[in-house]
């Protein structure tokens, strides 16, 4: 009965590689998000999608490309991985972005760049 | 520019006593505030929220207080239990922001000792 699920949970890869992280929510929510938690533990929003449409793109490098095939899925593809991309990436969803509805988070994907 | 700040990185409390976690914000446009709880290797879990039209919201052992003039909110946990040991994040947004972006503080690690 997992609400927001991300795969993989851990991802270790070489600099310069391309990788994807998948996210799915079964809550029937309209809005999905990607957050990055850096080494200083700050959680910062990267992207927000509402019903498959991009709403927020927070000055994230072009190497990061989100894709939403339907409103229950928001995947994150990262090209040419760099050392600074090492972080924990969290997917989240909410009933409707911009309204006072709490966001529900997945358990995170721990990305380590060697 | 850190718009949401949690100035105490850690807090230690005895079981049964009150835990008070504090959060300050700088953006007067924020009108919705949330607290999340996070265990290691898991995603943040929504705990309680408050709208700016209120100054208090209570849910069981958890109460959030909002002081808009001071731009300060606090989370009270009474009585504290060992299972409450986790990192607590304060977050803020404003109703009409596009896409439901949450701005997070850096977290306070609560340790409740038996």
């Amino acid at each position: 009965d997992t609400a927001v699920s991300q795969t993989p949970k851990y991802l270790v890869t070489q600099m310069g590689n391309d990788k994807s992280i998948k996210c799915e929510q079964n809550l029937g929510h309209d809005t999905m998000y990607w957050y990055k938690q850096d080494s200083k533990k700050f959680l910062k929003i990267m992207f927000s999608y509402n019903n498959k449409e991009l709403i927020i793109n927070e000055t994230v490098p072009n190497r990061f490309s989100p894709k939403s095939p339907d409103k229950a899925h928001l995947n994150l593809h990262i090209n040419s991985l760099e050392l600074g991309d090492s972080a924990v990436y969290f997917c989240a969803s909410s009933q409707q972005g911009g309204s006072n509805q709490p966001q529900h988070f997945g358990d995170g994907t721990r990305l380590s760049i060697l | 520019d850190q718009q949401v700040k949690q100035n105490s990185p850690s807090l230690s409390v005895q079981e049964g006593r009150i835990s008070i976690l504090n959060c300050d914000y700088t953006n007067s446009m924020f009108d919705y505030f949330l607290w999340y709880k996070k265990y290691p290797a898991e995603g943040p879990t929504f705990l309680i929220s408050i709208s700016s039209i209120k100054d208090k919201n209570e849910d069981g052992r958890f109460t959030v207080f909002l002081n808009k003039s001071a731009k300060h909110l606090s989370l009270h946990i009474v009585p504290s239990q060992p299972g409450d040991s986790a990192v607590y994040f304060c977050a803020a947004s404003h109703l009409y922001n596009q896409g439901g972006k949450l701005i997070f503080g850096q977290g306070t690690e609560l340790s409740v000792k038996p």
Side-chain angles (χ1 to χ4, degrees), chain A residues 80-108:
Chain A
S80 304
L81 281 157
E82 299 177 357
L83 290 174
D85 298 333
S86 294
V88 183
Y89 293 84
F90 288 99
C91 177
S93 72
S94 68
Q95 189 70 29
Q96 186 179 350
S99 65
N100 286 351
Q101 297 288 335
Q103 294 176 19
H104 298 260
F105 285 78
D107 283 342

Side-chain angles (χ1 to χ4, degrees), chain B residues 41-99:
Chain B
E42 294 184 11
T45 303
F46 170 70
L47 201 53
I48 192 169
S49 63
I50 188 166
S51 162
S52 60
I53 61 173
K54 295 185 175 182
D55 55 18
K56 177 182 172 182
N57 189 25
E58 194 170 350
D59 184 1
R61 298 186 296 114
F62 302 91
T63 303
V64 56
F65 295 92
L66 175 62
N67 182 334
K68 283 188 295 182
S69 60
K71 294 192 180 71
H72 176 84
L73 64 154
S74 60
L75 175 68
H76 293 212
I77 307 174
V78 183
S80 301
Q81 299 173 355
D84 296 330
S85 297
V87 177
Y88 288 78
F89 290 96
C90 167
S93 74
H94 54 91
L95 180 62
Y96 298 108
N97 83 87
Q98 266 194 318

